[in-house]
Structures are given as C-alpha cells and as structure tokens.
Amino acid sequence: MSFLFVALGGALGATGRYAISLIPVKTQFPFLTLITNVMGAVLIGFIAGVAGNRSEISGNAVLFWKTGVCGGFTTFSTFSLEAYSLFERKSYFFGSIYIVLSTAFCLLGIFLGKRLAVLLH
C-alpha cells in the first residue's frame, strides 16, 4: 500500500515540476530549475519538521509528501535535507564531503553518460 502513496505523490510532484518548466522565461541561466529545487527544499524541510514533531502524522502521509511529491518534484530536495541533517547533527565533515562528492560525482556521471550515448549512437 505504501507504494501507492509514493506513486500518487510522485505523479503530483512530477506534474508540478513539468508545469513550472512551461513558464516562458528567456534566459541562459536555468532559473526555473533553481526555483524548483528551492521550492522542493522548502517543502521537504517543512514536511520533515512537521513529521518530526507530530506522531499523529501517518507514515503513509509522510511517504506521499516527502518521497512522492518531493521526490517527483525534485530529488535535489532529498539531497538538501540529507546534507542539512548531517550539519544539524554537527557532522560538518561528512556533510561537506557529501555535498562535494555528490556534486562532483553527479557531474562526472552526466559527463560519462553523455560520452556513452555518443559512443553508442
């Protein structure tokens, strides 16, 4: 049953992300993606804050909002929450390493994926 909550939330989040991408903005800077990521970070922070303080919020509601909606809207929100949580626990070293490695390896992954696509095309 939990998969259903994640799937429904994911559909809502992905639809929201797509709707934002349709806003006509004429710029070279990925402004709409930045806005989407910041909105997702605010939303997942709010959900984590509410869920952490209230035991009456069901696990399925958290799955719907945090994993489903936020995950479908932007996975950057999950990355941001995890990095923030490391800093909140005063694990500054691991928080910093997580940010640097995630950024570097994901950019490397994009590079490798694009190169692979060129080789296989």
Side-chain angles (χ1 to χ4, degrees):
M1 190 61 157
S2 58
F3 284 98
L4 180 61
F5 287 96
V6 172
L8 292 173
L12 183 63
T15 301
R17 180 178 65 218
Y18 178 67
I20 289 173
S21 76
L22 296 177
I23 297 171
V25 175
K26 300 203 189 298
T27 178
Q28 295 286 330
F29 187 78
F31 183 71
L32 295 176
T33 302
L34 177 62
I35 293 298
T36 301
N37 288 336
V38 171
M39 287 173 59
V42 171
L43 181 59
I44 202 169
F46 176 78
I47 294 163
V50 169
N53 297 330
R54 298 191 182 142
S55 60
E56 69 270 8
I57 296 177
S58 76
N60 285 333
V62 173
L63 281 173
F64 175 84
W65 286 104
K66 201 163 107 176
T67 306
V69 174
C70 290
F73 192 63
T74 170
T75 56
F76 193 77
S77 59
T78 302
F79 161 76
S80 300
L81 177 63
E82 291 170 344
Y84 183 85
S85 294
L86 286 167
F87 288 128
E88 195 172 48
R89 293 191 309 263
K90 301 195 182 335
S91 185
Y92 304 113
F93 175 76
F94 286 119
S96 298
I97 292 297
Y98 180 59
I99 290 169
V100 169
L101 290 179
S102 293
T103 303
F105 285 142
C106 287
L107 289 173
L108 179 61
I110 296 293
F111 171 77
L112 293 174
K114 288 185 134 234
R115 296 295 295 160
L116 182 61
V118 168
L119 290 174
L120 294 177
H121 190 285

